[in-house]
Amino acid sequence: MNYSDLIKAAVEIKKNSYSPYSKLKVGAAVLMDNGKIYTGVNVENSSLGATNCAERTAICNAVCDGETKIKAIAIASDNEEYILPCGICRQVIAEFSGSDTDIISTRRNGEYKVYKVKELIPEVFKL
């Protein structure tokens, strides 16, 4: 599948990141089952526990619009290495996707890798 539009959305939105503490700007874009793309950025806080990652911001934006089924998610940063979701974000992604949902991880140079949810969180917590 061609994810160029999804990756482009994640790269473009990262400029809006509020990251005065880590200096790591992260953007995320989620492609929902209906074809709509929602974006988000990391929003840091001096009380680090109040920080929100880009992935969760994008997912919350989709849920606020009534969308709850993720088809794919792209994550972009200025890192040399591939950026991957943290543990909390992996759990939130799993809540709104299937085990075969694609997670696209990018590098600053534009290269990307595609992972499946089941690769990044093989034993997902479910109630």
Side-chain angles (χ1 to χ4, degrees), residues 39-97:
T39 58
V41 296
N42 56 326
V43 180
E44 295 181 348
N45 189 284
S46 59
S47 173
L48 294 179
T51 294
N52 202 51
C53 298
E55 300 92 312
R56 285 184 283 139
T57 302
I59 292 167
C60 287
N61 284 335
V63 171
C64 285
D65 204 27
E67 301 301 325
T68 58
K69 183 65 177 146
I70 297 173
K71 188 171 183 178
I73 183 167
I75 308 154
S77 77
D78 292 329
N79 258 1
E80 293 288 337
E81 299 303 318
Y82 292 103
I83 186 92
L84 291 167
C86 73
I88 294 171
C89 287
R90 290 176 194 207
Q91 180 64 42
V92 172
I93 292 167
E95 180 74 18
F96 297 103
S97 66

Side-chain angles (χ1 to χ4, degrees), residues 112-123:
Y112 67 91
K113 285 185 179 180
V114 179
Y115 299 88
K116 299 290 185 188
V117 166
K118 64 186 172 193
E119 291 177 90
L120 297 184
I121 186 165
E123 299 295 331

